[in-house]
Amino acid sequence: MINIDNNIEFNNLRYVPRDAVELLSEFTESYQILESQINDFIRTQPTFLNEIRKKLRGEIGFLSSRQKDIALSIYGLIVTDEIIKNYDPFNYANDISTLLDATNKKNKCTEEEFIGLITSFINSLQAVLNITDLVINNFIQFKSYDIPDDIIIMLLIRRHYYPAINEINLMFEAPEFTIDLRWVVAIFAYILEYKLEKNNQIRRVQTIGEIYSKIVKIYPLSEGEEIVTDIIYLYLIRTYIDKLSNGLSSRIDILKLSLKSETELEEETEKNMAVKSFYPKQDSSSEQIVRLIEKPIIETLEMKVDFNEDERRKLEVNIESALKRIAIEESRTQNFTNENSYNLIIKKSWMNVFEQHPQMIIPIININQYTKFVNEPKAYVKENENEIVRQLQFKIRHYIGGERMNSKSLAKAFSRLLFEILNNPSVKKLTF
Amino acid sequence: MENEKKKGIDVLNILSNRTFIEEEKSFTTNHILIGNQGNKITEAGLDAVKDLLNKLYEHLPSKDMLLHQKILLDFIKFQLVNVNNANESISNLYFIENNFNNSHTINVLLTLYDELNLTKLKDELSFITKSFNGVVKRTKAQREQGLIGEQQQVNDIQKISSLLAKFYHWLIFNERDFADLVENNLLKTMIITSVIVRGKIKRDKTQCVGKCGKTYLINEKPVGSKCDCGGEIIQAPPIVEFQDISYVFPEGISEIKTEKENSPSNIFNLVSNVLIPNELLLILNRVFLGKFSQLLCIPNFSQFVIPETNDLINVYAGYNIIGEDNIFITYFVTDSRFNDSRLISSEKLPSIIKQVISDLKQGYSWKSTINNSLLKNWYITSFVPIEKLSEYDHLEHLINKDTFYEPESETPLEVVESEGDQIDD
């Protein structure tokens, strides 16, 4: 078992909810955007609206004509923005009608209130998607640390779902609705099912409305801070924990193995390091960086969105603060005094990226290795790791220029190198 | 290692939840969690813990009282001091209480950890109390609708409360999430009164560690004899018998605080409540088969809350043991409700406590100790016997009566000096 005493990184595996002020400003902003998007949609997509209106005649009959337009154009927006892929229109109609049932205003709300409610609904879907991703990632981490199951359950409740559910509740308070807690739980269950379906743990994803109706039948209470733990345990943990465990078992095993081998690697490096670090280290220092640079990589390579200078600057700031955080956690100062620590981060994070996207090493490797690389890209990366790392460090040095290597200069080099790689036409062209 | 063994008191974490669902009927779950190095608890020990919890619940305020009660206890932290070697503080005992609606949680925590953050512990217990309340409330509603039976209800409640207890234990002893001395309390509190109590350490009792758990006078049943129930007789933990008390308070205190709160006996009750119920110690000694026989339990820090306004009253304490059996406990009461220029901010308290305790240790009298400190402009009363406290309605009456300390006569306060310097090593 991995010793987690004094481990600050472990303690960070939790969801940090946003505060009411932040949520309110998010709401106001998205309300305005949504309102204008709805008007645009109604103006520009009359055919779509008419078709879908005919289809859902029975399902949304309870809405007023204007509310129908609003509700249906929002459906159009959800589907075109791909917030939820393959969102069935009938499911959507069912979700909206149960959502109205689950509020204190039922069908008596005004047009503004209705748009407000739907704004919060969309925002909450987005938030729950993010939270569920975090839950899944952290669940894998907890499992790989061999923490007892009962404790993992409580870590998920206390440090993830509990603050998250309170946040979602606040989101619906922004347009002045009081929402049934069971409906909030149903959103979480729905998104979890949606994720589990991808892991083949669930055959058919139930709609939010369906889940809500099931919970209402047997769970008699609908509000109160005190029931949050209970309702999370019954409808999120007890229902899905085994499926989650099964669906993620291979990822958990991989992480366990890599933790083992990385601990060995780190022990070795630690011996060579002059500075003793206070906290036992784990893989997450490099993972934090990988997580940051993953987004532009996927956007550029898979979604073909260009990585521009603005984004590079944003990324630089983010990497800098991440590096500082890592340095503070490990050596209590913003910058490592020992360059080895930086070299380790460079090595681990970039090699991780290269294993996923081998084409990214093209700007780094020697041009006469090119054919060798193209024939067997993945094997090439593995076999020539030392050479690649050497070249990588050379590049990083180049971007750092004459400065000392510290969190700031390294962040600059990281983001510039990424900029160079992602704007290289061969990198963009090749896929493996 | 040997030393460790001698010093170490096993880790014990007792967590109990109780919710009243009807007038007389309640749900209670008890979890006794023992640390890794812990000895097994005997059956008699387990019974003793249950007895203890029942007794503790008797002291807890009922729902009605919760609404009307002005001041509720949040937590107390005790130090366990070896009476044979006063400078050696061995272990810490935490007693934390929490209430939510008609639910209560009691946590008795025995550990070597000195640095537990009580505010964080309290927050976690508040989560536990709420969650427990929630599951009882839900199962009650389900039973009323005929959705589940009694057994299912008991199972559901047990399951959640056991998860909560295990997690709490894990947080303290595995993750050490609470090991953080920085109490981030945003409330500004002011020092309102200081009190010194003189007492005698009494070691004249023995107790049975068998089934009955009775206590005896040492002459009646000496250590090593057998109790009527067949249990072994051991030395009972030492206790403090209070003798007299002296108050220190600022000018015009009657204008700052209400009359009732200024009554000397109320203040004495507030600070002496901080002394652990003797019962608890006897039972812990029974559970740990005599490990507490030489340990004096001295309060270190406690917090009370005023539910209506969420204001806090804190009591900080320090002690001096002089000679064989004389003890002086100095208490400092701080309060967040008052903000008067005549009061002193509790930010200065750590240095005041340090100075007062060290001055007393060096043999200075109570009066000169206070006069050397930041409280020098405050009134000091002379020592009043505890049993006579009820004769005075108000702190200021202690000055007006003939007991008022006059600067010329040093005699009433010379006690410390006459016995001074004995505990210096």
Side-chain angles (χ1 to χ4, degrees):
Chain A
M1 179 168 168
I2 286 157
N3 183 16
I4 51 164
D5 283 356
N6 279 330
N7 188 346
I8 210 159
E9 289 178 13
F10 175 81
N11 198 309
N12 285 342
L13 298 180
R14 60 168 80 210
Y15 178 65
V16 181
R18 291 168 291 171
D19 63 22
V21 181
E22 215 176 314
L23 292 174
L24 198 65
S25 69
E26 183 200 59
F27 172 79
T28 329
E29 201 179 302
S30 30
Y31 181 94
Q32 282 160 359
I33 296 173
L34 193 67
E35 202 181 19
S36 68
Q37 276 181 334
I38 289 169
N39 290 333
D40 278 355
F41 203 90
I42 294 176
R43 209 179 55 239
T44 55
Q45 308 279 346
T47 350
F48 175 86
L49 286 178
N50 270 336
E51 261 172 40
I52 199 120
R53 199 170 182 151
K54 269 181 216 151
K55 222 182 196 178
L56 295 177
R57 191 180 300 259
E59 279 71 17
I60 54 167
F62 60 93
L63 293 174
S64 74
S65 158
R66 172 73 181 158
Q67 281 177 339
K68 271 179 203 154
D69 278 348
I70 295 170
L72 293 178
S73 45
I74 286 164
Y75 172 70
L77 291 169
I78 293 181
V79 177
T80 40
D81 277 2
E82 293 201 336
I83 294 177
I84 302 172
K85 280 176 196 158
N86 312 324
Y87 199 1
D88 182 85
F90 291 98
N91 291 350
Y92 172 74
N94 182 248
D95 289 346
I96 293 294
S97 95
T98 48
L99 171 60
L100 274 169
D101 280 347
T103 63
N104 54 338
K105 295 188 181 154
K106 309 257 177 214
N107 295 342
K108 284 178 203 141
C109 58
T110 62
E111 187 182 304
E112 285 83 26
E113 282 174 336
F114 188 68
I115 299 180
L117 181 67
I118 307 270
T119 308
S120 293
F121 174 50
I122 295 180
N123 285 350
S124 69
L125 275 180
Q126 197 64 58
V128 174
L129 265 170
N130 294 341
I131 294 160
T132 307
D133 278 340
L134 184 76
V135 165
I136 289 174
N137 278 334
N138 288 356
F139 178 76
I140 296 170
Q141 299 257 359
F142 293 146
K143 274 283 192 186
S144 66
Y145 290 141
D146 281 337
I147 295 171
D149 282 352
D150 277 356
I151 302 298
I152 296 184
I153 288 176
M154 282 309 298
L155 284 167
L156 293 183
I157 296 179
R158 180 73 172 112
R159 293 193 177 159
H160 297 79
Y161 283 123
Y162 189 80
I165 283 189
N166 287 331
E167 181 185 308
I168 303 293
N169 239 341
L170 276 178
M171 285 177 133
F172 282 97
E173 271 173 28
E176 293 174 359
F177 279 89
T178 310
I179 185 117
D180 189 332
L181 254 181
R182 294 168 293 190
W183 210 84
V184 178
V185 171
I187 309 179
F188 279 92
Y190 166 72
I191 298 288
L192 204 53
E193 289 204 355
Y194 175 71
K195 298 270 173 191
L196 285 169
E197 192 197 24
K198 287 187 186 162
N199 283 304
N200 302 323
Q201 292 299 316
I202 276 180
R203 279 204 203 131
R204 189 188 75 89
V205 178
Q206 306 177 78
T207 66
I208 303 175
E210 280 171 347
I211 300 171
Y212 174 66
S213 321
K214 273 190 190 163
I215 302 179
V216 167
K217 263 185 207 147
I218 39 175
Y219 200 90
L221 307 173
S222 64
E223 59 176 354
E225 203 186 341
E226 67 274 18
I227 63 165
V228 176
T229 307
D230 185 47
I231 199 166
I232 298 170
Y233 177 70
L234 287 181
Y235 296 104
L236 294 176
I237 303 293
R238 220 174 55 176
T239 323
Y240 301 109
I241 193 98
D242 290 340
K243 295 193 173 81
L244 207 53
S245 210
N246 294 336
L248 299 171
S249 61
S250 57
R251 282 177 68 189
I252 293 165
D253 290 343
I254 291 170
L255 186 60
K256 258 189 202 175
L257 274 177
S258 76
L259 270 181
K260 217 174 169 186
S261 60
E262 289 207 19
T263 334
E264 281 161 15
L265 180 80
E266 270 166 14
E267 273 166 12
E268 224 169 78
T269 358
E270 233 165 54
K271 271 182 213 158
N272 304 331
M273 271 167 69
V275 186
K276 261 193 184 172
S277 81
F278 183 76
Y279 294 107
K281 285 203 296 307
Q282 248 133 44
D283 66 321
S284 8
S285 45
S286 63
E287 275 213 352
Q288 284 182 40
I289 304 292
V290 174
R291 240 174 274 150
L292 283 174
I293 55 183
E294 222 169 27
K295 189 179 163 252
I297 294 175
I298 290 172
E299 279 180 359
T300 315
L301 300 182
E302 288 170 18
M303 293 153 80
K304 309 288 176 202
V305 181
D306 279 346
F307 180 52
N308 58 33
E309 180 59 24
D310 264 2
E311 279 166 36
R312 188 200 65 76
R313 261 191 236 118
K314 267 186 223 158
L315 184 72
E316 183 181 325
V317 175
N318 289 340
I319 294 180
E320 186 185 329
S321 55
L323 283 171
K324 282 183 179 165
R325 201 165 55 234
I326 294 164
I328 287 171
E329 279 166 12
E330 292 181 10
S331 70
R332 302 261 165 114
T333 52
Q334 289 200 345
N335 296 308
F336 286 111
T337 40
N338 192 320
E339 274 196 17
N340 278 342
S341 313
Y342 284 125
N343 287 334
L344 194 67
I345 294 175
I346 296 173
K347 180 179 164 187
K348 278 205 260 170
S349 49
W350 282 98
M351 286 315 290
N352 197 329
V353 168
F354 292 153
E355 274 165 29
Q356 304 291 328
H357 310 279
Q359 67 268 45
M360 286 178 64
I361 66 164
I362 293 171
I364 289 168
I365 54 167
N366 205 324
I367 196 75
N368 52 30
Q369 302 274 321
Y370 192 76
T371 353
K372 215 168 149 191
F373 163 73
V374 176
N375 289 337
E376 265 181 304
K378 287 205 172 157
Y380 180 87
V381 172
K382 259 186 204 148
E383 282 162 20
N384 296 288
E385 189 177 319
N386 288 340
E387 177 62 19
I388 296 170
V389 171
R390 211 175 58 80
Q391 293 279 2
L392 183 67
Q393 280 168 345
F394 179 75
K395 278 267 179 195
I396 298 261
R397 273 258 148 252
H398 166 75
Y399 277 118
I400 287 179
E403 289 175 47
R404 272 176 64 105
M405 195 188 276
N406 56 31
S407 299
K408 191 179 165 68
S409 63
L410 190 59
K412 193 172 82 184
F414 256 67
S415 64
R416 295 214 169 154
L417 178 59
L418 191 69
F419 188 77
E420 183 198 321
I421 295 176
L422 291 182
N423 285 302
N424 184 307
S426 326
V427 174
K428 281 193 194 170
K429 215 162 53 194
L430 286 170
T431 42
F432 296 105
Chain B
M1 196 63 204
E2 178 86 350
N3 203 16
E4 281 284 304
K5 244 184 195 167
K6 234 182 354 189
K7 273 172 81 176
I9 293 270
D10 301 353
V11 165
L12 176 72
N13 186 1
I14 304 170
L15 191 73
S16 174
N17 291 300
R18 172 172 288 190
T19 293
F20 284 90
I21 49 172
E22 276 145 39
E23 201 56 40
E24 295 276 289
K25 212 176 159 204
S26 66
F27 264 108
T28 310
T29 54
N30 297 325
H31 299 279
I32 300 164
L33 305 135
I34 311 166
N36 302 338
Q37 92 235 57
N39 297 337
K40 283 236 167 84
I41 291 189
T42 59
E43 200 129 308
L46 282 177
D47 286 345
V49 171
K50 277 179 199 152
D51 281 357
L52 164 76
L53 289 167
N54 283 330
K55 280 187 181 128
L56 289 174
Y57 276 119
E58 282 169 21
H59 296 295
L60 270 182
S62 70
K63 195 181 174 186
D64 284 350
M65 276 171 76
L66 269 179
L67 291 172
H68 299 108
Q69 183 119 353
K70 285 232 168 86
I71 299 173
L72 295 173
L73 177 67
D74 257 356
F75 51 72
I76 319 174
K77 178 188 173 190
F78 300 96
Q79 262 174 301
L80 295 170
V81 178
N82 190 339
V83 273
N84 299 324
N85 180 3
N87 293 325
E88 182 192 5
S89 162
I90 293 170
S91 191
N92 296 288
L93 184 66
Y94 298 82
F95 178 84
I96 312 158
E97 256 182 39
N98 199 270
N99 308 293
F100 177 80
N101 289 343
N102 44 356
S103 295
H104 308 285
T105 303
I106 293 178
N107 179 217
V108 177
L109 187 63
L110 183 69
T111 160
L112 287 165
Y113 294 167
D114 196 26
E115 74 287 357
L116 291 185
N117 183 312
L118 286 157
T119 321
K120 280 190 181 173
L121 280 181
K122 188 187 132 190
D123 286 349
E124 197 59 33
L125 277 187
S126 146
F127 169 74
I128 291 175
T129 319
K130 272 183 201 152
S131 302
F132 185 76
N133 182 274
V135 60
V136 174
K137 197 168 150 188
R138 182 262 301 176
T139 50
K140 188 182 170 226
Q142 281 182 326
R143 276 197 67 190
E144 280 165 4
Q145 294 180 7
L147 288 166
I148 57 167
E150 188 173 354
Q151 193 51 46
Q152 176 79 41
Q153 179 180 25
V154 174
N155 292 350
D156 277 16
I157 295 173
Q158 271 293 348
K159 178 70 198 173
I160 299 259
S161 90
S162 119
L163 280 174
L164 291 166
K166 276 187 207 162
F167 185 57
Y168 180 68
H169 193 72
W170 184 87
L171 286 176
I172 299 174
F173 294 103
N174 292 63
E175 196 195 39
R176 307 210 184 161
D177 189 34
F178 303 122
D180 177 4
L181 261 187
V182 186
E183 308 267 346
N184 38 359
N185 216 328
L186 298 170
L187 275 181
K188 192 181 176 204
T189 56
M190 305 296 268
I191 307 171
I192 192 117
T193 325
S194 169
V195 164
I196 189 167
V197 188
R198 296 196 296 200
K200 288 260 180 226
I201 302 169
K202 292 273 177 189
R203 305 168 71 180
D204 56 352
K205 294 257 172 71
T206 57
Q207 69 179 125
C208 159
V209 283
K211 268 183 194 153
C212 73
K214 274 184 196 155
T215 51
Y216 299 95
L217 281 173
I218 201 155
N219 309 332
E220 207 180 328
K221 291 255 184 222
V223 175
S225 60
K226 288 273 176 206
C227 174
D228 301 340
C229 76
E232 209 179 316
I233 295 286
I234 59 161
Q235 174 78 47
I239 51 165
V240 175
E241 201 177 85
F242 291 126
Q243 289 175 321
D244 46 18
I245 180 169
S246 160
Y247 298 83
V248 179
F249 53 87
E251 198 189 333
I253 191 151
S254 54
E255 295 157 25
I256 302 170
K257 278 170 89 183
T258 62
E259 186 149 327
K260 199 181 154 205
E261 283 188 48
N262 269 334
S263 101
S265 49
N266 274 353
I267 295 175
F268 174 69
N269 284 340
L270 185 74
V271 298
S272 64
N273 256 333
V274 165
L275 259 191
I276 195 157
N278 190 24
E279 207 77 51
L280 179 55
L281 268 189
L282 285 169
I283 283 170
L284 286 174
N285 203 24
R286 221 169 118 197
V287 173
F288 287 108
L289 304 171
K291 279 199 173 178
F292 282 73
S293 290
Q294 306 303 327
L295 297 184
L296 190 62
C297 198
I298 298 175
N300 183 291
F301 175 48
S302 63
Q303 180 167 300
F304 298 83
V305 64
I306 296 144
E308 273 177 20
T309 55
N310 277 332
D311 273 308
L312 298 176
I313 298 177
N314 292 325
V315 181
Y316 299 80
Y319 68 93
N320 293 80
I321 295 176
I322 291 169
E324 281 270 298
D325 56 354
N326 287 312
I327 185 163
F328 293 75
I329 305 180
T330 325
Y331 299 97
F332 296 87
V333 184
T334 70
D335 201 313
S336 69
R337 286 172 297 174
F338 311 106
N339 196 358
D340 192 287
S341 60
R342 284 165 287 194
L343 301 174
I344 295 171
S345 161
S346 59
E347 282 165 13
K348 304 219 168 71
L349 199 57
S351 65
I352 297 180
I353 296 181
K354 209 172 156 193
Q355 182 255 325
V356 166
I357 296 298
S358 104
D359 275 15
L360 287 174
K361 195 174 167 186
Q362 283 172 30
Y364 287 102
S365 73
W366 176 233
K367 178 218 148 201
S368 41
T369 301
I370 290 296
N371 282 343
N372 280 339
S373 76
L374 281 170
L375 305 179
K376 60 184 167 208
N377 295 326
W378 288 18
Y379 287 123
I380 310 168
T381 76
S382 65
F383 285 89
V384 187
I386 301 292
E387 61 272 16
K388 288 202 173 160
L389 275 183
S390 53
E391 292 172 16
Y392 305 94
D393 298 337
H394 198 279
L395 270 185
E396 282 173 342
H397 294 168
L398 287 173
I399 332 172
N400 298 334
K401 297 278 162 89
D402 49 357
T403 52
F404 174 54
Y405 166 71
E406 286 162 31
E408 297 87 56
S409 80
E410 288 271 324
T411 26
L413 287 156
E414 284 308 289
V415 202
V416 189
E417 246 157 30
S418 64
E419 292 177 327
D421 280 3
Q422 289 192 12
I423 54 160
D424 268 3
D425 25 26

